Every structure is written in C-alpha cells, then in structure tokens.
Amino acid sequence: MALNITGRKLFVKALKEEGVDTIFAYPGGMITDIVDELYKTEEINVILGRHEQALVHEAEGYARATGKTAVVLVTSGPGATNTITGIADAYYDSIPMVIFTGQVPLHLIGNDAFQEVDIVGMTRSITKYGVTVRDREDMGKIIKMGFQIASTGKPGPVLIDIPKDIQTISGSPEYPEHVDIRGYHPNETVHIGQLKKAYRMLKGAKRPLILAGGGVRIAGASGKLLEFAEKMNVPVTTTVMGKGVMPENHPLFVGNCGMHGRFAANKAVTECDVLFSIGTRFNDRITGELDEFAPKAKIVHVDIASASISRNVSVDVPVTADAGIALQRLVEYAERINTEKWLDQIKKWEDEHPLGMPNTKIGVCPQDICEAINNVFPNANIVTDVGQHQMWASQFIKLNSDQKFITSGGLGTMGFGFPAAIGAAIGDRSKPVVLITGDGGFQMNMQEMATAMSAKVPIVICIFNNSNLGMVRQMQQLFYGKRYEITDLTADDGNYYPDFLKWAESYNCKAIRVLDDNDIINALEAARNNTNGPTVIDFMVSPDDLVLPMVKSGTPLSEMILR
Amino acid sequence: MKNRWIALYVENQVGVLAKVSGLFSAKSYNLQTLTVGTTEREDVSRMTISVTADDATFEQIKKQLNAMVEVIKVIDLTSIPIHMKEILFAKVFGLDGEGKTEAFQIAEVFNQGGNVKIVDIGVDSVLFECTLTEHKNNELIALLKSRFKKIEVTRGGAVAVESISSSYR
C-alpha cells in the first residue's frame, strides 16, 4: 500500500501525469494550499495573469496553438465568477480545458461564506461537465474524468470545484489511468451505410459544394479534406471557425461563406444542388435566414455531436461521426466527378464581385494591413479579437497549412484576442503570433500587457484603431440612419484615451503608430525584429470603413449588401 | 405539438436534477412533469419526464439529454406499452351531508381495486387519495371542480415504466 497523500499533492501529481507543463493561474484564499504545492514543483510553468477572465482566454489560445488540454486554476467566489465569460467562449468553440476553482471548506458550503459562490451551478449550461469534489477519495477519479471528458468527443471545458479542506485532507495517492464513465460515450465510429449514402448523393450532384467547419480543424483532418475535395474535384467553402482547413490559394477553395462571406461562396451555397457539410453546427452567422438557406440543395451533415444535426437546418442525410474518421473513409470512396461547368460558374461569381475594400481617404486601409501581415509573417499564428477587424482578417488573411487562425467564433467575446495571443505564444514559441484587434476589444483586457511583458512573448499587437466600436457603428450606419449612439470611444473632451503609445511605454513595451499606408511594412518588420517582447502597432483606420459583403441578420445569404 | 414521455436513468448525484431541468428552461422546452426517485441501484436514479413538443424538438430533447455525462440512458416511452400512474390528493371543503354522500359516491365510481379512496374526513371536508393515470386524474379533478365550491389539489407527477413484454422484447 502506497502512503496516503494530501489533496494538494494529488492535484500536482495528477497534472504531471496528464503531461501538463503550463497552467494559467491567479491566487486567492481558497487555493493557497495548491499554490504552495506548485511552489515546490519545477515541472509546471505557472502563468500569472492579471484577471481571471483573461486567464481563461490565455488558456484557450494555448489550447488552440498546441492542441493540448489547457488548465486554469482560480480561487472561489469572484475568482470563479470572473472565469465565466471565458468558459462560455471555450464551450461555444469546443476548446479542451479543465478549470479548477477553489471552494470554501465543505462545512461552510451553503452558509453564504466569504467568497462562496455555487460556481458549478452557475456554469452548468456552459461546461461539458462540472462537479464539486465532496470526498477526498473521489478526487483522483474526478480529475481523471475531467481530462478525459474535456479532450475527447466534441472537446469542451470541464469545471472541477475543490473545497479548501479537500486540498489538505490525506487520502489515496492513486491517480487512475482511465475512468469508465457509463453516461459518456464519445462517438468513435461512423455508420458506413449512412456515409455511403452521403457519398452517393455527392457523387450524383451537378453543383456540389463542401462546407467545412471548425470540426475538421479540431479533428486534424484538413489534409484528408483536401485529398477528398481534390479527388472528387468538388469546391470547398469554410465557416470562420473552419478558416484554414483548405489552403487559401487552392483553385477549389471558394472562401468563407456566411454573414461576411465572399460573394461567390454565398452564391455557391445558394445555388448548389448538394451541400456536403462537415464539422459545422449551422450557426445563424453561416446560414442567414434559415428558410432560404441552400434552397436548391440536398444537405448532408457530418458532425460528431448528434445534437447538432437537424437542429438548425433539416438535413437529408445525417452522419454522426468525427470529421477525421468520416473523411478517412470518404477519401477511399472518392472518384472524380464532372464539375467543370459549376467551377466556371463560381469563378464567374468571384470575378463579378471579388473581395476588396475601396481606397480609404482617411488613415490606413485594413485590407492593406492584412495583406502586409501575410507578406511579413507568412508562417505566423493569427489571433483576432471580435469586431470589424476580425471579419477583415477572416477575409484578407491568407493562411498556409501550418498556420492557425485563433478567434472567438461562437460567443463573439470582445477582449478575447490579446490574452488568447499571449496563450498561443506561450504554447508555441516556434511561430510568431500576430494579434489583430480593435481599439475597443483591446481595452477590455489590456491589463494583460503585464502578463505579456513578464512572459516575454514577442506578440505583434496590431490595433485597428478607428476610435469607434466599429461593428455596431457599421450597423448604425447601414440600418439605423447613422445615429451613432454610444459607439464613439472619443471622450467628451474630444481626446481619445488612452494614447496607446504612452500606455505601452509605461510597460517598457515597444510601440509604433502608423498613419499612412506606406509605413505599414516598416512597422511590421520592426515588430518582427523585436523578439524580446510584444510590440504594439497602433494603425489609425477610418471609422467609415465597412465590412462587406454583409448579409443583414435574418435575411437570406443571397441578399448581400455589396457596397 | 404532442404530449410525450421519456424515462431517464441518471447518476444519483448532487446537481443532476438541476442539470436536467436546467436544459428545459435554457432551451425553452415545454416541460409538463418531472418525477425522480432512486432505483434498485442506489447510485442510479430514474426520472419520468413529460414534455409537449413537435417531432423535431422532441428528437433534439432526446439528443441533448443523451449528450449529458450524467445521463446514463434515455428511453422514449411515447410509442411503447407502458404502465403509468400518478398520485393525487384532493381535499374537498364546505360539504353538507348531501355533499359528503356525493363525494363518497364519486370515489366509489372512480375506484378500481383501491386506487381511489377517501382517506380522511372532517366536519365539512373529505380527502381523496387517488393513484390513477394522469389523464384519469385530470377527469376526476374536473368533476370535483364542477360539483364542489372549494377544492385543494396536490399532484405527484406521473411515474411510468415499460411493460414487461416490451422491456424483454
């Protein structure tokens, strides 16, 4: 019999056995024991953020850049509630993560104790699984379950709440290698009959289109997707979360579809006769008005979560499977079909309305910045915040196969970008990280500059600064008679706060302001050469620049606003 | 929109009831009744749930329940032979002698093998205890309401089980 150990020791042992080498943590009264245990551990790098919400976004960036399950450790009460937005973000974007929260001692639970909240209850609808450890003997099993559930099937966040006394009680030192969970059976097979039916439907199509979402990326199946599309000669469109699963210069790649998708891609969705969708949940940003989504098409839907199938869009052939497993089979079946006429038609649509922004009169053109980033950082991981800049990035950033596009797709969380970029850079130091952010979203988590300086991550922070909350302003401009209520971030005294250059200076962070298109490349190159830490580039862009095309919320994809 | 029945086997743990019922409120599903109790295994509970939903929503509800880690098994009771009962207590007040007689007559008519009884009696009131189907309980309540001025109803929610022939099919 091995000797009993404390809960805090078992916690660290569990992390080590899971191969965790980095965690994102913020201390507090109910995790002081675990924090003390981490002090004694060399193998785990503890990243101290400056706000718990940012910690979770950092963990998301880390998970996206490495493919590993990220770990967050926070205290009870406000430490726990601050993580909620991040957890919801990770849930919507299927990011594997285990969040450990401290909790008041067992005998105080329910007493409205200092810094007590029912965090498991609060996060029930935004976690894959959540539980409070109520018995020290269950701790090993619960942590193992957490890692298993977070990383398998459709990945997602798991929250484990550990009361303070559980951390110090001695108990079994065992950390199980595997736990059988009778209510959890992630899909690891594919129904061959259904898949063949789906394949035959695609094979018989005259105007076929593959719609690939983030599920293809999560499954690591972009190579198989490319092979399948090439063998069959079928064009591919992607969702924002699927961006990058097809090489963007490939002749079969039509571009992103959806609210701010390419004209040709949305036309192709509208006109195709078979839509072969894989790894997407048909979010409303992708479909537009549901009744008129792909109106001429038979729809195949391959998804790992059966609950995603036939929820938003009613489907002709449902296939419940991991995208990788399905594509592995599909590649074996694939035979070339005649799509030349259809591909020509898509090409015509593309020529009719290619993506491109008009020359701006004021400031720097966002398209030019994105294209310069493509040239100066051809192998960078690209991280975005949420807003206009995100959509411009989704339109104009061109990804190679080994680049990642890390963005908050489902929840659309402003404030995601900067911490996610820090996490991505910590996770994968082999690649540069370029953050594309807006001046609004950046301010939501700009306290993380201290974290970035401390971790010495050479992130290139490109602020598309139009001194406005541009995406909402765009709606006001187009749909609300230019009544710009609470979207102008300029202060009442006529100044813009903060001056990002002076602000960066206070962190000893290199900062550059770019007012003219001709200075874009120089600024990016200077940032590339600054490998000791982050660089802020404050790009002054016009508040009147629009993200186009645009499908107004609740209208069909075919009704795009083009100019 | 149809009324439908599901039985669920779930982990007998803190928070599972909240998680299952939370699904119905979070996704705006129309929950009619939910009952829960332990099974022959003390770590497993069984729920009987009734919802009003169209076909697509009902499919979605089953899938969402199946996706929960705490849910061990989902059984759709809608189209299989089942036995279903609901416990009902009904107090009837303000009865004169004639009213009491009528209450006893009603109990007698509805009673089959002891499933409707009057189990308590006061100066001007009686207490019905019924173990009927939900539908039959509805009928009884409607009748009591139409005949008497003041009644007080306490219902337990339906419990259902597959008939033996279907569970061993």
Short mmCIF file of all heavy atoms in Angstrom, two decimals, chain B residues 109-165:
data_model
loop_
_atom_site.label_atom_id
_atom_site.label_comp_id
_atom_site.label_asym_id
_atom_site.label_seq_id
_atom_site.Cartn_x
_atom_site.Cartn_y
_atom_site.Cartn_z
N VAL B 109 -67.32 5.31 -7.66
CA VAL B 109 -67.41 5.12 -9.10
C VAL B 109 -66.02 5.08 -9.75
O VAL B 109 -65.74 4.26 -10.62
CB VAL B 109 -68.26 6.25 -9.73
CG1 VAL B 109 -68.14 6.23 -11.25
CG2 VAL B 109 -69.71 6.12 -9.30
N PHE B 110 -65.13 5.97 -9.29
CA PHE B 110 -63.79 6.02 -9.89
C PHE B 110 -62.90 4.88 -9.41
O PHE B 110 -61.96 4.49 -10.08
CB PHE B 110 -63.11 7.37 -9.57
CG PHE B 110 -63.41 8.43 -10.57
CD1 PHE B 110 -64.66 9.04 -10.60
CD2 PHE B 110 -62.45 8.81 -11.51
CE1 PHE B 110 -64.95 10.02 -11.52
CE2 PHE B 110 -62.74 9.79 -12.44
CZ PHE B 110 -63.99 10.41 -12.44
N ASN B 111 -63.20 4.35 -8.26
CA ASN B 111 -62.32 3.35 -7.65
C ASN B 111 -62.30 2.05 -8.44
O ASN B 111 -63.34 1.51 -8.82
CB ASN B 111 -62.79 3.08 -6.22
CG ASN B 111 -61.93 2.02 -5.55
OD1 ASN B 111 -60.72 1.94 -5.82
ND2 ASN B 111 -62.54 1.22 -4.71
N GLN B 112 -61.08 1.57 -8.70
CA GLN B 112 -60.93 0.23 -9.26
C GLN B 112 -59.80 -0.46 -8.51
O GLN B 112 -58.64 -0.09 -8.66
CB GLN B 112 -60.60 0.30 -10.76
CG GLN B 112 -61.85 0.52 -11.58
CD GLN B 112 -61.57 0.62 -13.05
OE1 GLN B 112 -60.42 0.70 -13.48
NE2 GLN B 112 -62.63 0.63 -13.84
N GLY B 113 -60.14 -1.37 -7.67
CA GLY B 113 -59.13 -2.10 -6.92
C GLY B 113 -58.40 -1.25 -5.91
O GLY B 113 -57.22 -1.42 -5.68
N GLY B 114 -59.08 -0.28 -5.36
CA GLY B 114 -58.49 0.50 -4.27
C GLY B 114 -57.64 1.67 -4.71
O GLY B 114 -56.93 2.26 -3.90
N ASN B 115 -57.74 2.08 -5.99
CA ASN B 115 -56.90 3.19 -6.43
C ASN B 115 -57.54 4.56 -6.22
O ASN B 115 -56.92 5.58 -6.49
CB ASN B 115 -56.43 2.99 -7.88
CG ASN B 115 -57.59 2.88 -8.84
OD1 ASN B 115 -58.76 2.98 -8.41
ND2 ASN B 115 -57.30 2.66 -10.11
N VAL B 116 -58.78 4.59 -5.77
CA VAL B 116 -59.38 5.87 -5.35
C VAL B 116 -60.05 5.62 -4.00
O VAL B 116 -60.91 4.75 -3.87
CB VAL B 116 -60.43 6.37 -6.36
CG1 VAL B 116 -61.08 7.66 -5.84
CG2 VAL B 116 -59.80 6.62 -7.73
N LYS B 117 -59.60 6.37 -2.99
CA LYS B 117 -60.14 6.18 -1.64
C LYS B 117 -60.36 7.54 -1.00
O LYS B 117 -59.69 8.50 -1.36
CB LYS B 117 -59.13 5.43 -0.75
CG LYS B 117 -58.84 4.02 -1.18
CD LYS B 117 -57.83 3.37 -0.24
CE LYS B 117 -56.42 3.82 -0.57
NZ LYS B 117 -55.38 2.96 0.01
N ILE B 118 -61.28 7.57 -0.05
CA ILE B 118 -61.34 8.73 0.83
C ILE B 118 -60.63 8.32 2.10
O ILE B 118 -61.01 7.34 2.76
CB ILE B 118 -62.79 9.17 1.06
CG1 ILE B 118 -63.27 9.81 -0.25
CG2 ILE B 118 -62.87 10.17 2.23
CD1 ILE B 118 -64.66 10.34 -0.23
N VAL B 119 -59.53 9.01 2.40
CA VAL B 119 -58.64 8.55 3.47
C VAL B 119 -58.71 9.41 4.71
O VAL B 119 -58.09 9.10 5.72
CB VAL B 119 -57.17 8.48 2.98
CG1 VAL B 119 -57.02 7.37 1.95
CG2 VAL B 119 -56.71 9.81 2.43
N ASP B 120 -59.44 10.55 4.64
CA ASP B 120 -59.55 11.40 5.82
C ASP B 120 -60.86 12.18 5.71
O ASP B 120 -61.36 12.41 4.60
CB ASP B 120 -58.35 12.36 5.91
CG ASP B 120 -58.13 12.85 7.34
OD1 ASP B 120 -58.93 12.49 8.23
OD2 ASP B 120 -57.14 13.60 7.56
N ILE B 121 -61.38 12.58 6.84
CA ILE B 121 -62.68 13.26 6.82
C ILE B 121 -62.75 14.26 7.95
O ILE B 121 -62.19 14.04 9.04
CB ILE B 121 -63.83 12.21 6.90
CG1 ILE B 121 -65.18 12.84 6.61
CG2 ILE B 121 -63.82 11.48 8.24
CD1 ILE B 121 -66.21 11.81 6.15
N GLY B 122 -63.37 15.44 7.71
CA GLY B 122 -63.53 16.45 8.74
C GLY B 122 -65.00 16.81 8.87
O GLY B 122 -65.86 16.15 8.26
N VAL B 123 -65.30 17.86 9.61
CA VAL B 123 -66.69 18.26 9.85
C VAL B 123 -67.41 18.50 8.52
O VAL B 123 -68.50 18.01 8.29
CB VAL B 123 -66.75 19.55 10.70
CG1 VAL B 123 -68.20 19.95 10.94
CG2 VAL B 123 -66.00 19.37 12.00
N ASP B 124 -66.71 19.26 7.63
CA ASP B 124 -67.36 19.57 6.35
C ASP B 124 -66.41 19.31 5.17
O ASP B 124 -66.49 19.95 4.14
CB ASP B 124 -67.81 21.03 6.33
CG ASP B 124 -66.65 21.98 6.47
OD1 ASP B 124 -65.53 21.51 6.78
OD2 ASP B 124 -66.83 23.19 6.23
N SER B 125 -65.46 18.35 5.34
CA SER B 125 -64.50 18.12 4.26
C SER B 125 -64.11 16.65 4.18
O SER B 125 -64.25 15.90 5.15
CB SER B 125 -63.26 18.97 4.49
OG SER B 125 -62.66 18.62 5.72
N VAL B 126 -63.60 16.26 2.99
CA VAL B 126 -63.04 14.91 2.82
C VAL B 126 -61.73 15.01 2.05
O VAL B 126 -61.48 16.00 1.36
CB VAL B 126 -64.00 13.96 2.05
CG1 VAL B 126 -65.29 13.75 2.81
CG2 VAL B 126 -64.25 14.47 0.64
N LEU B 127 -60.89 13.97 2.16
CA LEU B 127 -59.61 13.92 1.43
C LEU B 127 -59.59 12.68 0.54
O LEU B 127 -59.69 11.55 1.03
CB LEU B 127 -58.44 13.88 2.43
CG LEU B 127 -57.06 13.64 1.83
CD1 LEU B 127 -56.65 14.76 0.87
CD2 LEU B 127 -56.01 13.49 2.93
N PHE B 128 -59.47 12.93 -0.79
CA PHE B 128 -59.34 11.84 -1.76
C PHE B 128 -57.86 11.47 -1.90
O PHE B 128 -57.00 12.35 -1.95
CB PHE B 128 -59.80 12.31 -3.16
CG PHE B 128 -61.28 12.34 -3.36
CD1 PHE B 128 -62.05 13.37 -2.81
CD2 PHE B 128 -61.90 11.37 -4.14
CE1 PHE B 128 -63.41 13.42 -3.03
CE2 PHE B 128 -63.27 11.42 -4.36
CZ PHE B 128 -64.03 12.43 -3.80
N GLU B 129 -57.58 10.18 -2.02
CA GLU B 129 -56.24 9.72 -2.40
C GLU B 129 -56.41 8.83 -3.62
O GLU B 129 -57.11 7.82 -3.56
CB GLU B 129 -55.60 8.93 -1.26
CG GLU B 129 -54.22 8.40 -1.61
CD GLU B 129 -53.77 7.32 -0.63
OE1 GLU B 129 -53.47 7.65 0.53
OE2 GLU B 129 -53.74 6.13 -1.03
N CYS B 130 -55.78 9.24 -4.72
CA CYS B 130 -56.01 8.53 -5.98
C CYS B 130 -54.68 8.12 -6.60
O CYS B 130 -53.72 8.89 -6.60
CB CYS B 130 -56.73 9.41 -6.99
SG CYS B 130 -58.07 10.33 -6.27
N THR B 131 -54.63 6.93 -7.15
CA THR B 131 -53.47 6.51 -7.94
C THR B 131 -53.99 6.09 -9.30
O THR B 131 -54.29 4.93 -9.55
CB THR B 131 -52.76 5.32 -7.26
OG1 THR B 131 -52.79 5.53 -5.85
CG2 THR B 131 -51.32 5.21 -7.73
N LEU B 132 -54.13 7.06 -10.17
CA LEU B 132 -54.73 6.84 -11.48
C LEU B 132 -53.74 7.27 -12.55
O LEU B 132 -52.66 7.78 -12.24
CB LEU B 132 -56.01 7.68 -11.61
CG LEU B 132 -57.14 7.38 -10.62
CD1 LEU B 132 -58.19 8.48 -10.70
CD2 LEU B 132 -57.75 6.02 -10.90
N THR B 133 -54.12 7.11 -13.79
CA THR B 133 -53.30 7.72 -14.84
C THR B 133 -53.46 9.24 -14.73
O THR B 133 -54.44 9.73 -14.16
CB THR B 133 -53.76 7.28 -16.24
OG1 THR B 133 -55.10 7.74 -16.42
CG2 THR B 133 -53.68 5.78 -16.41
N GLU B 134 -52.52 9.94 -15.31
CA GLU B 134 -52.59 11.40 -15.30
C GLU B 134 -53.91 11.86 -15.92
O GLU B 134 -54.58 12.77 -15.42
CB GLU B 134 -51.41 11.94 -16.10
CG GLU B 134 -51.08 13.38 -15.80
CD GLU B 134 -50.01 13.90 -16.73
OE1 GLU B 134 -49.99 13.52 -17.91
OE2 GLU B 134 -49.19 14.70 -16.26
N HIS B 135 -54.27 11.21 -17.02
CA HIS B 135 -55.48 11.57 -17.74
C HIS B 135 -56.73 11.38 -16.87
O HIS B 135 -57.59 12.27 -16.79
CB HIS B 135 -55.56 10.68 -18.99
CG HIS B 135 -56.74 10.96 -19.85
ND1 HIS B 135 -56.86 12.15 -20.55
CD2 HIS B 135 -57.86 10.23 -20.10
CE1 HIS B 135 -58.01 12.12 -21.21
NE2 HIS B 135 -58.63 10.98 -20.95
N LYS B 136 -56.80 10.24 -16.18
CA LYS B 136 -57.94 9.93 -15.34
C LYS B 136 -57.99 10.91 -14.14
O LYS B 136 -59.06 11.34 -13.72
CB LYS B 136 -57.82 8.48 -14.84
CG LYS B 136 -59.13 7.85 -14.46
CD LYS B 136 -59.93 7.41 -15.68
CE LYS B 136 -61.28 6.87 -15.23
NZ LYS B 136 -62.28 6.88 -16.30
N ASN B 137 -56.81 11.25 -13.61
CA ASN B 137 -56.77 12.24 -12.53
C ASN B 137 -57.33 13.58 -13.01
O ASN B 137 -58.04 14.26 -12.28
CB ASN B 137 -55.34 12.43 -12.03
CG ASN B 137 -54.94 11.37 -11.01
OD1 ASN B 137 -55.80 10.76 -10.38
ND2 ASN B 137 -53.64 11.16 -10.86
N ASN B 138 -56.96 13.96 -14.24
CA ASN B 138 -57.49 15.21 -14.80
C ASN B 138 -59.02 15.19 -14.82
O ASN B 138 -59.68 16.18 -14.47
CB ASN B 138 -56.99 15.41 -16.24
CG ASN B 138 -55.52 15.75 -16.29
OD1 ASN B 138 -54.94 16.15 -15.27
ND2 ASN B 138 -54.91 15.57 -17.44
N GLU B 139 -59.55 14.05 -15.22
CA GLU B 139 -61.01 13.92 -15.30
C GLU B 139 -61.65 14.05 -13.92
O GLU B 139 -62.66 14.73 -13.75
CB GLU B 139 -61.40 12.56 -15.89
CG GLU B 139 -61.23 12.49 -17.39
CD GLU B 139 -61.68 11.15 -17.95
OE1 GLU B 139 -62.22 10.31 -17.18
OE2 GLU B 139 -61.47 10.94 -19.15
N LEU B 140 -61.03 13.41 -12.94
CA LEU B 140 -61.57 13.47 -11.58
C LEU B 140 -61.54 14.90 -11.04
O LEU B 140 -62.52 15.38 -10.45
CB LEU B 140 -60.77 12.53 -10.67
CG LEU B 140 -61.20 12.50 -9.20
CD1 LEU B 140 -62.67 12.05 -9.06
CD2 LEU B 140 -60.31 11.59 -8.37
N ILE B 141 -60.44 15.58 -11.28
CA ILE B 141 -60.33 16.97 -10.81
C ILE B 141 -61.41 17.83 -11.46
O ILE B 141 -62.06 18.65 -10.80
CB ILE B 141 -58.92 17.53 -11.10
CG1 ILE B 141 -57.89 16.81 -10.23
CG2 ILE B 141 -58.86 19.04 -10.83
CD1 ILE B 141 -56.46 17.05 -10.66
N ALA B 142 -61.59 17.61 -12.77
CA ALA B 142 -62.61 18.40 -13.48
C ALA B 142 -63.99 18.17 -12.87
O ALA B 142 -64.77 19.11 -12.67
CB ALA B 142 -62.61 18.03 -14.96
N LEU B 143 -64.26 16.92 -12.55
CA LEU B 143 -65.56 16.59 -11.96
C LEU B 143 -65.72 17.24 -10.58
O LEU B 143 -66.74 17.88 -10.29
CB LEU B 143 -65.70 15.06 -11.85
CG LEU B 143 -66.99 14.56 -11.20
CD1 LEU B 143 -68.21 14.97 -12.03
CD2 LEU B 143 -66.97 13.05 -11.01
N LEU B 144 -64.68 17.11 -9.73
CA LEU B 144 -64.75 17.70 -8.38
C LEU B 144 -64.95 19.21 -8.46
O LEU B 144 -65.72 19.79 -7.71
CB LEU B 144 -63.48 17.37 -7.58
CG LEU B 144 -63.25 15.88 -7.27
CD1 LEU B 144 -61.92 15.69 -6.53
CD2 LEU B 144 -64.39 15.29 -6.44
N LYS B 145 -64.24 19.83 -9.40
CA LYS B 145 -64.37 21.29 -9.58
C LYS B 145 -65.79 21.68 -9.95
O LYS B 145 -66.32 22.69 -9.51
CB LYS B 145 -63.43 21.76 -10.70
CG LYS B 145 -62.07 22.20 -10.22
CD LYS B 145 -61.34 22.87 -11.40
CE LYS B 145 -59.95 23.25 -10.99
NZ LYS B 145 -59.13 23.53 -12.19
N SER B 146 -66.41 20.85 -10.80
CA SER B 146 -67.75 21.22 -11.28
C SER B 146 -68.80 20.98 -10.20
O SER B 146 -69.84 21.63 -10.19
CB SER B 146 -68.09 20.42 -12.55
OG SER B 146 -68.31 19.06 -12.20
N ARG B 147 -68.54 20.05 -9.28
CA ARG B 147 -69.55 19.70 -8.29
C ARG B 147 -69.40 20.47 -6.98
O ARG B 147 -70.38 20.67 -6.26
CB ARG B 147 -69.50 18.19 -7.98
CG ARG B 147 -69.71 17.29 -9.17
CD ARG B 147 -71.08 17.49 -9.81
NE ARG B 147 -72.16 17.29 -8.87
CZ ARG B 147 -73.38 17.76 -9.00
NH1 ARG B 147 -73.68 18.48 -10.07
NH2 ARG B 147 -74.30 17.54 -8.10
N PHE B 148 -68.18 20.87 -6.64
CA PHE B 148 -67.96 21.47 -5.31
C PHE B 148 -67.33 22.84 -5.42
O PHE B 148 -66.58 23.12 -6.37
CB PHE B 148 -67.09 20.53 -4.46
CG PHE B 148 -67.64 19.13 -4.37
CD1 PHE B 148 -67.01 18.08 -5.01
CD2 PHE B 148 -68.82 18.88 -3.66
CE1 PHE B 148 -67.52 16.79 -4.94
CE2 PHE B 148 -69.34 17.58 -3.60
CZ PHE B 148 -68.69 16.54 -4.24
N LYS B 149 -67.57 23.69 -4.40
CA LYS B 149 -67.13 25.08 -4.47
C LYS B 149 -65.64 25.21 -4.26
O LYS B 149 -64.96 25.99 -4.91
CB LYS B 149 -67.88 25.90 -3.41
CG LYS B 149 -69.29 26.24 -3.80
CD LYS B 149 -69.78 27.46 -3.01
CE LYS B 149 -71.26 27.72 -3.30
NZ LYS B 149 -72.15 26.68 -2.66
N LYS B 150 -65.10 24.45 -3.28
CA LYS B 150 -63.71 24.67 -2.92
C LYS B 150 -62.95 23.35 -2.85
O LYS B 150 -63.31 22.47 -2.06
CB LYS B 150 -63.62 25.38 -1.56
CG LYS B 150 -62.23 25.87 -1.24
CD LYS B 150 -62.15 26.48 0.16
CE LYS B 150 -60.69 26.74 0.52
NZ LYS B 150 -60.53 26.88 1.96
N ILE B 151 -61.96 23.20 -3.70
CA ILE B 151 -61.11 22.01 -3.60
C ILE B 151 -59.64 22.43 -3.58
O ILE B 151 -59.28 23.53 -4.01
CB ILE B 151 -61.35 21.00 -4.75
CG1 ILE B 151 -60.93 21.59 -6.10
CG2 ILE B 151 -62.79 20.54 -4.79
CD1 ILE B 151 -60.91 20.56 -7.21
N GLU B 152 -58.79 21.56 -3.05
CA GLU B 152 -57.35 21.81 -2.99
C GLU B 152 -56.64 20.56 -3.51
O GLU B 152 -56.87 19.47 -2.99
CB GLU B 152 -56.97 22.08 -1.53
CG GLU B 152 -55.53 22.49 -1.32
CD GLU B 152 -55.24 22.67 0.18
OE1 GLU B 152 -55.95 23.47 0.84
OE2 GLU B 152 -54.35 21.99 0.69
N VAL B 153 -55.83 20.75 -4.56
CA VAL B 153 -55.26 19.60 -5.27
C VAL B 153 -53.75 19.54 -5.11
O VAL B 153 -53.06 20.55 -5.24
CB VAL B 153 -55.63 19.68 -6.77
CG1 VAL B 153 -54.81 18.67 -7.58
CG2 VAL B 153 -57.11 19.45 -6.98
N THR B 154 -53.24 18.37 -4.79
CA THR B 154 -51.79 18.14 -4.73
C THR B 154 -51.47 16.93 -5.59
O THR B 154 -51.99 15.84 -5.35
CB THR B 154 -51.35 17.84 -3.28
OG1 THR B 154 -51.77 18.92 -2.46
CG2 THR B 154 -49.84 17.69 -3.19
N ARG B 155 -50.65 17.15 -6.64
CA ARG B 155 -50.34 16.06 -7.57
C ARG B 155 -48.87 15.70 -7.51
O ARG B 155 -48.02 16.57 -7.32
CB ARG B 155 -50.69 16.46 -9.01
CG ARG B 155 -52.10 16.96 -9.16
CD ARG B 155 -52.43 17.32 -10.58
NE ARG B 155 -52.54 16.13 -11.42
CZ ARG B 155 -53.15 16.14 -12.60
NH1 ARG B 155 -53.66 17.26 -13.09
NH2 ARG B 155 -53.23 15.03 -13.31
N GLY B 156 -48.57 14.46 -7.70
CA GLY B 156 -47.18 14.00 -7.57
C GLY B 156 -46.41 13.94 -8.87
O GLY B 156 -45.20 13.75 -8.87
N GLY B 157 -47.09 14.12 -10.00
CA GLY B 157 -46.40 13.91 -11.27
C GLY B 157 -46.39 12.44 -11.61
O GLY B 157 -46.36 11.58 -10.71
N ALA B 158 -46.39 12.13 -12.89
CA ALA B 158 -46.55 10.74 -13.31
C ALA B 158 -45.25 9.96 -13.21
O ALA B 158 -44.16 10.50 -13.39
CB ALA B 158 -47.06 10.70 -14.74
N VAL B 159 -45.39 8.68 -12.90
CA VAL B 159 -44.26 7.75 -12.94
C VAL B 159 -44.65 6.66 -13.93
O VAL B 159 -45.77 6.17 -13.90
CB VAL B 159 -44.01 7.13 -11.55
CG1 VAL B 159 -42.93 6.06 -11.63
CG2 VAL B 159 -43.61 8.23 -10.57
N ALA B 160 -43.71 6.35 -14.83
CA ALA B 160 -44.04 5.37 -15.86
C ALA B 160 -42.95 4.32 -15.95
O ALA B 160 -41.78 4.59 -15.69
CB ALA B 160 -44.19 6.07 -17.21
N VAL B 161 -43.35 3.12 -16.35
CA VAL B 161 -42.39 2.04 -16.55
C VAL B 161 -42.83 1.24 -17.78
O VAL B 161 -44.03 1.12 -18.06
CB VAL B 161 -42.30 1.16 -15.28
CG1 VAL B 161 -43.60 0.41 -15.03
CG2 VAL B 161 -41.13 0.19 -15.37
N GLU B 162 -41.85 0.74 -18.52
CA GLU B 162 -42.18 -0.08 -19.68
C GLU B 162 -42.87 -1.34 -19.20
O GLU B 162 -42.50 -1.89 -18.16
CB GLU B 162 -40.92 -0.49 -20.45
CG GLU B 162 -39.97 0.64 -20.80
CD GLU B 162 -38.94 0.87 -19.71
OE1 GLU B 162 -39.34 1.33 -18.61
OE2 GLU B 162 -37.76 0.61 -19.94
N SER B 163 -43.84 -1.83 -19.95
CA SER B 163 -44.46 -3.09 -19.55
C SER B 163 -43.44 -4.21 -19.75
O SER B 163 -42.51 -4.07 -20.55
CB SER B 163 -45.74 -3.34 -20.34
OG SER B 163 -45.45 -3.37 -21.70
N ILE B 164 -43.62 -5.29 -19.02
CA ILE B 164 -42.60 -6.35 -19.02
C ILE B 164 -42.39 -6.89 -20.43
O ILE B 164 -41.26 -7.10 -20.87
CB ILE B 164 -43.02 -7.47 -18.04
CG1 ILE B 164 -42.77 -6.95 -16.62
CG2 ILE B 164 -42.21 -8.75 -18.29
CD1 ILE B 164 -43.12 -7.90 -15.53
N SER B 165 -43.47 -7.05 -21.16
CA SER B 165 -43.32 -7.59 -22.51
C SER B 165 -42.41 -6.71 -23.36
O SER B 165 -41.62 -7.21 -24.16
CB SER B 165 -44.69 -7.70 -23.17
OG SER B 165 -45.33 -6.44 -23.13
#
